[in-house]
Amino acid sequence: VGVGDISAKPVVEMSGVEIAYRGKKVLSNINLQLQPESRTILVGDNGSGKTTLLSLLLGDHPLSYAFPASKLSLFGAARRDRINATANLNARIGHFSPELFNAFPRRSLEAGGLSVADAIASGFANIFTPRPWGEQQLRRVHGLLAHFADLLRNSSPSGSCRGKSDVDTLARTAFRDLSTGSQAVVLFLRAIVHSPTLLVLAEPFRG
């Protein structure tokens, strides 16, 4: 959907990528270029290799380290290059998927769980635990919440968020108290909070 900036260096390049498990090919001769500012929609049947392909884009697949830059290039370098250390990729990539949604912790605040603000801010470091955040980071979180608050206010199954117009109050609400759909919205905000260069959304409309 739009080719993006074709004069710029691709964010991702794949050339003849193949992956097989026990002799069975999951990906065969994949050639792909993702230019800055482009949007690409990946469609296929269950088991067609979409998740495997996305794991290569994210640098999560164990075999991504085996490919030279001529086969798989992330931000102009091979996955194993120092420039693509996991922390650096986390700073450049935003990600949402059903697997992340299912794995994200849901504990009460009293038990060390995440507030809505903490859940969104965790995208800055791609972590699942609370930590102190800087003033600029918190401004970014609250700015996103201000844009999306209407989708989140009346979302709690228990009604605890009903009628809340104060973004600060919403930010302090326990992530686990939101409805399933609103938790997905929060995790989408987590994926974009750090303004990533590459945004990977797997089944983002589920729920």
Side-chain angles (χ1 to χ4, degrees), residues 39-87:
R39 288 178 291 159
T40 300
I41 299 172
L42 182 63
V43 180
D45 295 333
N46 289 339
S48 62
K50 298 188 302 297
T51 299
T52 301
L53 182 57
L54 292 182
S55 69
L56 291 174
L57 296 181
L58 296 168
D60 286 343
H61 198 288
L63 292 179
S64 63
Y65 293 89
F67 290 112
S70 59
K71 283 282 188 180
L72 172 63
S73 172
L74 303 176
F75 307 102
R79 173 64 173 97
R80 59 176 175 260
D81 285 6
R82 181 177 300 179
I83 195 173
N84 280 332
T86 298

Side-chain angles (χ1 to χ4, degrees), residues 138-176:
L138 291 176
R139 279 202 301 268
R140 169 67 171 165
V141 169
H142 283 240
L144 287 174
L145 277 175
H147 281 293
F148 286 84
D150 287 343
L151 295 176
L152 301 170
R153 286 179 187 143
N154 300 316
S155 59
S156 172
S158 64
S160 61
C161 295
R162 193 171 301 281
K164 288 182 178 175
S165 58
D166 185 347
V167 171
D168 290 335
T169 302
L170 178 59
R172 292 192 297 268
T173 300
F175 172 77
R176 78 165 196 172

Side-chain angles (χ1 to χ4, degrees), residues 3 25-26 89 92 114 143 148 166 203 206:
V3 296
K25 286 187 178 180
V26 179
L89 286 185
R92 289 176 150 190
L114 297 174
F148 286 84
D166 185 347
E203 301 183 39
R206 177 186 286 189

Side-chain angles (χ1 to χ4, degrees), residues 1 22 29 31 44 52 59 63 76 100 104 122 127 146 163 169 189 199:
V1 182
R22 297 180 179 178
N29 195 32
N31 299 286
T52 301
L63 292 179
L100 186 147
F104 204 78
S122 69
I127 57 176
T169 302
L189 300 183
L199 180 62

Side-chain angles (χ1 to χ4, degrees), residues 18-38:
E18 295 192 354
I19 288 184
Y21 302 126
R22 297 180 179 178
K24 181 179 180 180
K25 286 187 178 180
V26 179
L27 296 178
S28 179
N29 195 32
I30 299 297
N31 299 286
L32 176 69
Q33 281 193 346
L34 298 182
Q35 301 294 142
E37 303 176 20
S38 66

